[in-house]
Amino acid sequence: MTNTLAERLKTRPCFGVSCRLTRTTDIAAMLRDCGYDWMFLDLEHGPLSMDQITQTALAGVEAGVTPLVRMADAAPGQIHRVLSNGAMGIIVPHVDDPETAAAVARQCRFPPLGERSVPGIIPQLGYMPRTFADAAKLLDPVTMCAVMIESRAAVAAVDEIASVEGIDILFVGASDLTFQLGKPSAYGDPEVVDAMQKVAEAAQRHGKISGFGGVADATMARRYIDMGMHFVLAGNDQTMFLQGARARLAALTGNT
């Protein structure tokens, strides 16, 4: 088993979409055919049920659009649940220190590498008979662990966080970060740009991937991509639908 996202991130930026509005599994193949690499399924702010997240994640596995679930917090139980039911990785918000990062990383790998609980079945591996030992060997290398850098404290500790074994991605929640820095939605403010640079450099020093979400302006987003932040949340399905629908109506009516 391979994680196509992990392989692609070695050579180029990879783009994802937050699936907030969509309630059917068609979204996975649609994102694949639009050229996206991963999907963001949200338990922190999103409205989808666990069943909808599970079905969408499994569709993502089949389509080759890597499904990652943002957790509500760092609690182990919910992390184990999503990883047992389709997710190929997690994104944990509000990780401000290396101790929390290490605790999160341990939940993503089976013993002896970590503390991930052994489930009754792992549907993302298909339904051929296999031992749990074999399943663990397949899943440990391809399960992705991302922690969100969203505060002044997290930026100050980012080098220590990046050094934690088992953390794959440093993901900046840019909207929360701007508020935490006292610069709401000022994604190009020098202090915000400096924070993003620190995250990108820490990731590079420790052989990790960095990325961001929440930056709508494409020019600003490209600036961060050029820093080496290659794990990019391009937007969400709801906003994309509204933008496309408005643009289409404007084209038909001549109202711009």
Side-chain angles (χ1 to χ4, degrees):
M1 185 178 188
T2 60
N3 183 326
T4 55
L5 175 60
E7 293 301 313
R8 293 168 184 170
L9 280 167
K10 294 176 182 178
T11 59
R12 64 169 176 82
C14 290
F15 299 91
V17 172
S18 175
C19 301
R20 178 179 176 82
L21 177 69
T22 309
R23 298 295 193 274
T24 69
T25 58
D26 303 83
I27 189 65
M30 292 169 69
L31 290 178
R32 177 198 63 206
D33 291 349
C34 288
Y36 287 95
D37 303 285
W38 60 281
M39 60 173 65
F40 180 100
L41 304 171
D42 192 4
L43 282 174
E44 184 185 19
H45 295 300
L48 297 183
S49 69
M50 180 62 73
D51 180 64
Q52 288 167 325
I53 284 177
T54 292
Q55 298 302 323
T56 304
L58 289 172
V61 171
E62 290 294 324
V65 180
T66 302
L68 304 176
V69 177
R70 177 166 67 176
M71 312 308 303
D73 53 43
Q78 195 78 308
I79 291 174
H80 296 169
R81 189 178 183 193
V82 299
L83 292 177
S84 296
N85 290 285
M88 291 304 299
I90 58 166
I91 302 171
V92 176
H94 311 297
V95 175
D96 293 337
D97 54 70
E99 293 78 17
T100 303
V104 168
R106 289 195 298 270
Q107 308 314 315
C108 293
R109 276 87 190 180
F110 294 101
L113 299 177
E115 300 171 0
R116 179 172 173 178
S117 181
V118 179
I121 193 168
I122 307 171
Q124 53 265 55
L125 288 178
Y127 300 96
M128 294 294 292
R130 70 177 78 245
T131 68
F132 286 126
D134 288 341
K137 289 177 183 178
L138 289 170
L139 285 171
D140 274 341
V142 298
T143 300
M144 305 190 78
C145 182
V147 294
M148 294 191 71
I149 307 298
E150 305 182 89
S151 69
R152 192 181 299 275
V155 173
V158 71
D159 199 68
E160 292 84 358
I161 293 171
S163 71
V164 172
E165 186 175 358
I167 296 299
D168 301 300
I169 299 170
L170 305 179
F171 181 63
V172 178
S175 296
D176 275 352
L177 181 60
T178 64
F179 274 79
Q180 290 282 332
L181 295 177
K183 310 290 178 63
S185 301
Y187 301 102
D189 182 272
E191 188 175 4
V192 176
V193 174
D194 181 64
M196 299 286 271
Q197 184 74 54
K198 287 178 179 175
V199 174
E201 290 174 352
Q204 290 165 2
R205 275 194 298 274
H206 294 280
K208 308 296 173 68
I209 299 295
S210 63
F212 62 91
V215 182
D217 181 77
T219 300
M220 196 71 241
R222 284 194 295 270
R223 181 177 180 182
Y224 292 136
I225 293 169
D226 289 343
M227 287 181 182
M229 306 187 87
H230 284 177
F231 180 74
V232 183
L233 186 62
N236 66 75
D237 55 358
Q238 181 172 304
T239 300
M240 290 176 173
F241 172 83
L242 291 170
Q243 290 172 340
R246 287 170 179 148
R248 178 61 175 166
L249 184 60
L252 293 174
T253 62
N255 296 323
T256 57

